Amino acid sequence: RSASPSVTASGASAGPTKARRNAEPPQRAVVRVPTEMVGGTWTNSYPETCKTAAQAPDSPWAMYLTDEAGHYSFLLFDFDAKKGNAKKDQERLTAIFRAANIRHVVTTSGPDGGRHIWVACADSPSNGLVIELAQLAASLYQSLDVSPLTNQKHGAARPPFSPHRVPGAISQPDAPIDITPLITPTTQERQLRDVAAHLRDMGAELP
């Protein structure tokens, strides 16, 4: 791929990661990578790891959403175009984030029109709240895949500018490209609680 970003010790590309506070546990020292291609396409499995101090892999790679203590540093809302109208669902959730003053980055994921919403956490929201928020959103937005936000140990995702498993595709931020919200986290747990409450008011339910 072209213009591959370097991977830093914070656990992702040089753009989208930054330690929130020096006193907090460090970001993961590795990213996850696939090991097998089938028919010219990487499998959607990331069983191996690559040290983040190295150059970014040419293959797809996924960064962990939690730090080494299992606290969420990043939230990734993954809208799968195969499950529903990913763009419409993403736009509805980002409208709620804007109303709650939650800074975020939206990317197009892969050639099928999947969408990602990235949020960087300035504090450490409780894992229970993150799971609740994901499940509430999924009850309203059919295309949302909750798996990255319901697995604190292994939840990972491809960050902005990283390659997709389909050769030639990347995780492309929406124009204008601005990943500042991921470099300088501002989102607080109270804002996420407000969003969860708003989703409940809209009729969202837990499974």
Side-chain angles (χ1 to χ4, degrees):
R1 74 186 164 116
S2 61
S4 174
S6 63
V7 182
T8 70
S10 59
S13 67
T17 62
K18 182 179 181 179
R20 290 167 295 159
R21 291 191 296 269
N22 291 336
E24 294 188 353
Q27 301 301 309
R28 305 288 188 102
V30 295
V31 294
R32 303 204 66 86
V33 294
T35 58
E36 184 179 0
M37 295 187 78
V38 176
T41 299
W42 289 99
T43 58
N44 195 24
S45 176
Y46 296 71
E48 301 294 333
T49 60
C50 175
K51 292 184 178 180
T52 57
Q55 176 70 19
D58 289 329
S59 68
W61 54 278
M63 57 177 274
Y64 287 103
L65 302 181
T66 59
D67 59 28
E68 290 187 351
H71 302 143
Y72 280 92
S73 301
F74 298 93
L75 306 183
L76 184 279
F77 296 85
D78 181 7
F79 296 90
D80 187 345
K82 295 183 176 65
K83 296 176 61 177
N85 191 328
K87 187 174 187 295
K88 181 177 179 180
D89 288 347
Q90 168 259 302
E91 289 173 344
R92 292 169 65 192
L93 187 56
T94 51
I96 295 172
F97 285 167
R98 285 193 297 270
N101 199 30
I102 291 177
R103 301 174 71 211
H104 55 276
V105 171
V106 176
T107 65
T108 300
S109 175
D112 295 328
R115 310 286 281 189
H116 286 172
I117 305 175
W118 283 89
V119 175
C121 302
D123 54 9
S124 298
S126 71
N127 292 339
L129 172 61
V130 172
I131 293 172
E132 176 185 347
L133 183 59
Q135 292 177 336
L136 288 172
S139 75
L140 296 178
Y141 310 127
Q142 181 180 0
S143 65
L144 181 61
D145 179 1
V146 301
S147 56
L149 295 174
T150 56
N151 186 341
Q152 70 185 74
K153 185 175 182 180
H154 297 297
R158 294 176 300 101
F161 301 112
S162 63
H164 192 267
R165 66 191 185 91
V166 177
I170 65 171
S171 182
Q172 179 65 54
D174 279 5
I177 296 174
D178 181 10
I179 56 174
T180 302
L182 303 186
I183 299 173
T184 308
T186 60
T187 299
Q188 303 284 337
E189 178 170 319
R190 60 175 176 77
Q191 294 171 283
L192 299 177
R193 292 193 181 279
D194 288 344
V195 170
H198 182 75
L199 293 175
R200 286 184 183 277
D201 289 343
M202 293 173 61
E205 298 179 346
L206 295 175

